[in-house]
Amino acid sequence: QVQLVESGGGLVKPGESLRLSCAASGFTFSDHYMSWLRQAPGKGLEWVSYISTSSSYTNYADSVKGRFTISRDNANNSLFLQMSRLRAEDTAVYFCARDRAVLGSNRAFDVWGRGTMVTVSS
Amino acid sequence: QSALTQPASVSGSPGQSITISCTGTSSDIGGYKYVSWYQQHPGKAPKLMIYEVNNRPSGVSNRFSGSKSGNTASLTISGLQAEDEADYYCSSYTSSRSLDVEFGGGTKLTVL
């Protein structure tokens, strides 16, 4: 079945780095834009970053620009988020999500993983 | 503070209809068709309920419908059921330089 599974979350100190992974299965991964979104404890959803099908285009929220890097490996159906210079305000559940459109984007996320928790605390 | 404004809570009785509003600007909701709605139960991942203003993904009940007028989008749930109790989030593409997709702050739906 169509599935996304995130991994790599954990507890880190401010200023440290972490790399999140998202394994996709059950669909043609290379046909879809992919995004990372996050949700701080008790708060709403926040879009973080997206990457196009062939990695030609990426975009980031200002809150993470210059600190986070999104990438993908279409051969291995995987999405990544390299996070550096982490701050307390980055503490959240991080979700990877599939854009519903094929070979494009309609900014609608129709498949989500269960999320991985990132806690930034000294 | 979220860029899109939603009511914090709404409620309704089983069988009734409710509408959740989502207000933005001409740089997001008013300017583009890329408005989506998500349902999220506690501890779960969000679920796409509506995309491109008024389209339902396969498998989503036709009790859920979306619309847009000017800078405000709306989600209507008819024939309320107990399992509809959840948080609902609107989202929109935005031409803002600081974001690509913005979300509303979420609306807690209580089925009385």
Side-chain angles (χ1 to χ4, degrees):
Chain A
Q1 71 278 25
V2 175
Q3 193 173 1
L4 296 171
V5 179
E6 303 93 340
S7 60
L11 172 63
V12 296
K13 293 181 170 56
E16 293 186 341
S17 299
L18 205 57
R19 188 190 196 214
L20 305 184
S21 299
C22 172
S25 59
F27 66 98
T28 305
F29 181 71
S30 57
D31 279 354
H32 292 268
Y33 278 50
M34 297 294 296
S35 282
W36 287 98
L37 302 99
R38 67 185 181 183
Q39 187 169 35
K43 302 297 185 182
L45 297 168
E46 180 186 12
W47 171 82
V48 173
S49 178
Y50 80 69
I51 186 167
S52 63
T53 53
S54 59
S55 304
S56 298
Y57 304 105
T58 60
N59 200 3
Y60 301 88
D62 269 6
S63 57
V64 307
K65 199 170 291 183
R67 300 186 299 121
F68 290 12
T69 302
I70 191 171
S71 61
R72 66 190 295 164
D73 178 352
N74 286 343
N76 290 295
N77 297 327
S78 296
L79 177 72
F80 306 100
L81 186 68
Q82 179 67 46
M83 305 184 295
S84 61
R85 304 201 307 275
L86 282 161
R87 306 167 179 166
E89 53 265 36
D90 295 319
T91 294
V93 175
Y94 284 73
F95 297 99
C96 66
R98 184 185 85 168
D99 196 299
R100 188 183 183 281
V102 175
L103 300 176
S105 176
N106 62 358
R107 299 339 194 255
F109 309 113
D110 68 337
V111 181
W112 296 65
R114 298 179 72 173
T116 186
M117 183 71 204
V118 172
T119 302
V120 184
S121 175
S122 55
Chain B
Q1 186 168 347
S2 302
L4 303 180
T5 302
Q6 298 180 234
S9 63
V10 298
S11 63
S13 300
Q16 288 186 331
S17 295
I18 63 96
T19 296
I20 300 171
S21 62
C22 174
T23 301
T25 69
S26 57
S27 296
D28 39 64
I29 291 175
Y32 305 94
K33 67 176 182 178
Y34 300 123
V35 177
S36 301
W37 289 90
Y38 299 87
Q39 176 192 67
Q40 187 179 33
H41 289 106
K44 301 295 187 181
K47 176 184 178 182
L48 179 66
M49 306 303 284
I50 296 289
Y51 67 97
E52 292 181 3
V53 178
N54 56 10
N55 292 281
R56 272 188 314 275
S58 174
V60 172
S61 171
N62 60 9
R63 297 185 299 105
F64 292 83
S65 62
S67 63
K68 185 181 85 163
S69 177
N71 297 336
T72 298
S74 299
L75 173 71
T76 297
I77 309 174
S78 60
L80 269 180
Q81 299 180 0
E83 60 260 35
D84 298 334
E85 184 162 298
D87 293 324
Y88 291 84
Y89 295 91
C90 61
S91 75
S92 174
Y93 168 75
T94 173
S95 57
S96 162
R97 288 189 172 187
S98 62
L99 279 175
D100 184 84
V101 175
E102 56 190 359
F103 283 86
T107 298
K108 170 66 178 177
L109 169 62
T110 300
V111 180
L112 302 170

